[in-house]
Amino acid sequence: MENNSMTARVSAFSRAYHSTHSIVPIFNDPLARTLLGETEYHAVAQSMTGGISYFCPGWSGTDEQALRWIVDHCLSATPLARAAFAEDSLQQAAARGARQYLIFGAGLDSFAYRQPAWASCMTLFEIDLPSQTSDKQARVQTAGLSVPDNLCWISADLSDTGWTDSLTGCTRFDDTRISFCSLLGLLYYLSEADTERLLCSLGALLPSGSTLVFDYPDAGYAAQQRTHTELAAASDEAMHTGSSPEEMDALLARCGFRIAEDWNADTITERYFAAHNQADPMHPMEAQGNVRFCLAVKQ
């Protein structure tokens, strides 16, 4: 499974670890460990524990305490909260009539294989690079998971100007149906030009009332989040400069969208971390600084 990106594996690990080590999970993903696999789960855990001196110079404690500290303070906050934000927003969109769910950069996302009853009215599209799609299919088969009837796998390179052909070429995709799109953890790795190209292609493709949900780095991210940018660079997944909320608003407007929600770290912490912190004050967590969550609607 070597083709799967390191960031996707670490994100899946953080969701899996949190689901089994938290009294009140911020986001419960019971299939993250299944998709990651035991061998890779333990490999990531060992790698993270071995790097505690990088994450926290001068650390003193057991390996398990080190792993918990790294997961809580360095790995999990954004993957957990953005997944909760996306699925809360998806449920609301489905209630308002969205009938297609486009999961961009699907990676090891597990929604399709644990989908609730309210999602049965939707067609799901997992969109990722060909190598990632093949890797995901192999993992699903190895894990013995059932492939739901409402799921379609789409292989596409989002940095390619013709990526929409892969989606529109799928007979189950209908460009007249209101859609919900998640682009979680994706915009960090796209250039400004590729980001605008992607958002504008969605604006041209989707009907009014469709929704985008994504997280994005603000203008201070690169300077403040050294750990994340260096880990990504070490995996040949370089992160790009962030955007201010005003710049993101202008970009989305150019692509035919208006912002319905744009949350900063304080809002994210209040919404998604309060219950966890109250239940387990020994392991408090908070939203990652310089990361924002956005919900945008096609006009």
Side-chain angles (χ1 to χ4, degrees), residues 8-25:
R9 290 163 58 202
V10 170
S11 178
F13 172 82
S14 67
R15 298 195 310 271
Y17 184 95
H18 180 81
S19 292
T20 57
H21 288 78
S22 296
I23 299 171
V24 177

Side-chain angles (χ1 to χ4, degrees), residues 199-226:
L199 296 179
C200 285
S201 64
L202 289 172
L205 181 67
L206 302 175
S208 296
S210 295
T211 306
L212 307 181
V213 63
F214 58 92
D215 54 322
Y216 71 97
D218 72 16
Y221 182 89
Q224 296 298 321
Q225 302 299 330
R226 180 179 62 88

Side-chain angles (χ1 to χ4, degrees), residues 48-291:
M48 292 299 142
T49 302
I52 183 61
S53 61
Y54 170 79
F55 291 103
C56 184
W59 169 266
S60 177
T62 67
D63 284 352
E64 182 54 39
Q65 289 171 335
L67 183 59
R68 179 65 186 258
W69 190 92
I70 292 170
V71 172
D72 286 356
H73 294 276
C74 301
L75 301 183
S76 290
T78 296
L80 294 171
R82 72 188 178 201
F85 178 69
E87 293 191 16
D88 286 348
S89 301
L90 173 64
Q91 184 174 7
Q92 296 170 20
R96 293 193 299 267
R99 291 297 177 261
Q100 296 182 142
Y101 180 22
L102 282 59
I103 309 171
F104 288 88
L108 299 181
D109 186 279
S110 66
F111 179 81
Y113 316 97
R114 55 175 172 78
Q115 57 180 292
W118 55 259
S120 62
C121 63
M122 309 185 79
T123 304
L124 315 180
F125 300 86
E126 289 194 2
I127 305 166
D128 215 327
L129 293 166
S131 61
Q132 311 290 21
T133 299
S134 297
D135 177 82
K136 180 69 163 289
Q137 292 170 330
R139 289 174 185 269
V140 169
Q141 183 176 22
T142 297
L145 297 175
S146 297
V147 179
D149 293 337
N150 62 338
L151 173 64
C152 301
W153 281 305
I154 305 292
S155 294
D157 183 346
L158 299 179
S159 65
D160 185 341
T161 56
W163 75 264
T164 55
D165 293 341
S166 299
L167 179 60
T168 57
C170 177
T171 58
R172 298 182 68 182
F173 177 74
D174 184 346
D175 62 9
T176 68
R177 303 184 78 187
I178 294 176
S179 299
F180 182 94
C181 306
S182 66
L183 302 92
L184 306 183
L186 186 60
L187 300 192
Y188 306 85
Y189 305 100
L190 297 179
S191 68
E192 292 181 14
D194 284 342
T195 295
E196 182 159 3
R197 188 179 301 114
L198 173 60
L199 296 179
C200 285
S201 64
L202 289 172
L205 181 67
L206 302 175
S208 296
S210 295
T211 306
L212 307 181
V213 63
F214 58 92
D215 54 322
Y216 71 97
D218 72 16
Y221 182 89
Q224 296 298 321
Q225 302 299 330
R226 180 179 62 88
T227 296
H228 292 80
T229 54
E230 289 182 358
L231 286 175
S235 302
D236 293 325
E237 298 173 322
M239 289 184 168
H240 295 280
T241 304
S243 304
S244 69
E246 294 76 18
E247 290 170 334
M248 182 56 68
D249 181 56
L251 169 59
L252 287 164
R254 291 196 300 272
C255 298
F257 294 91
R258 63 172 179 82
I259 291 180
E261 303 278 356
D262 191 323
W263 293 3
N264 62 16
D266 290 341
T267 302
I268 297 166
T269 297
E270 180 181 355
R271 176 64 179 82
Y272 287 115
F273 292 85
H276 165 83
N277 292 344
Q278 183 176 4
D280 190 1
M282 294 295 293
H283 299 98
M285 296 177 64
E286 61 182 13
Q288 183 179 346
N290 303 107
V291 170

